[in-house]
Amino acid sequence: QRYLRAERAEVSALERKRNVLCCLITRILKAEKQLHIDNLVFRVIDACQKGELGPGPQFLSFCCHSVDVLSCVLHLLNQGHLRRQEEKPHVLEY
């Protein structure tokens, strides 16, 4: 039982992290309209390290890597929330 509870807690934490990253990616791209994927990854990681994850009270900072951000970008692309420019596939648009 203890193992199953720990596993559920870990899955829940990963889902929360993915949701926070997806929201942050969306918020940044809404403001910028379009952004080079490298710049987006840098801005998301920077916001995570500084704890700037949302309006209102400051959130605790958490560790996030470029792989985490890119995974979320692919997730949002597959859902149709983001798109790539045809002539510049490395530029993302909201």
Side-chain angles (χ1 to χ4, degrees), residues 1-16:
Q1 282 291 21
R2 185 181 304 165
Y3 174 78
L4 290 176
R5 278 183 287 199
E7 187 175 288
R8 280 190 215 119
E10 188 175 315
V11 167
S12 179
L14 287 173
E15 287 176 352
R16 281 194 307 273

Side-chain angles (χ1 to χ4, degrees), residues 10-23:
E10 188 175 315
V11 167
S12 179
L14 287 173
E15 287 176 352
R16 281 194 307 273
K17 182 176 181 179
R18 185 181 81 173
N19 289 340
V20 168
L21 289 175
C22 286
C23 289

Side-chain angles (χ1 to χ4, degrees), residues 8-57:
R8 280 190 215 119
E10 188 175 315
V11 167
S12 179
L14 287 173
E15 287 176 352
R16 281 194 307 273
K17 182 176 181 179
R18 185 181 81 173
N19 289 340
V20 168
L21 289 175
C22 286
C23 289
L24 187 54
I25 290 166
T26 302
R27 189 180 73 178
I28 290 170
L29 279 175
K30 273 185 177 180
E32 296 293 328
K33 305 298 182 219
Q34 65 181 18
L35 203 56
H36 190 284
I37 193 163
D38 293 342
N39 291 337
L40 177 62
V41 170
F42 172 77
R43 290 194 45 192
V44 170
I45 291 172
D46 189 51
C48 290
Q49 289 173 346
K50 291 179 179 176
E52 299 168 348
L53 302 176

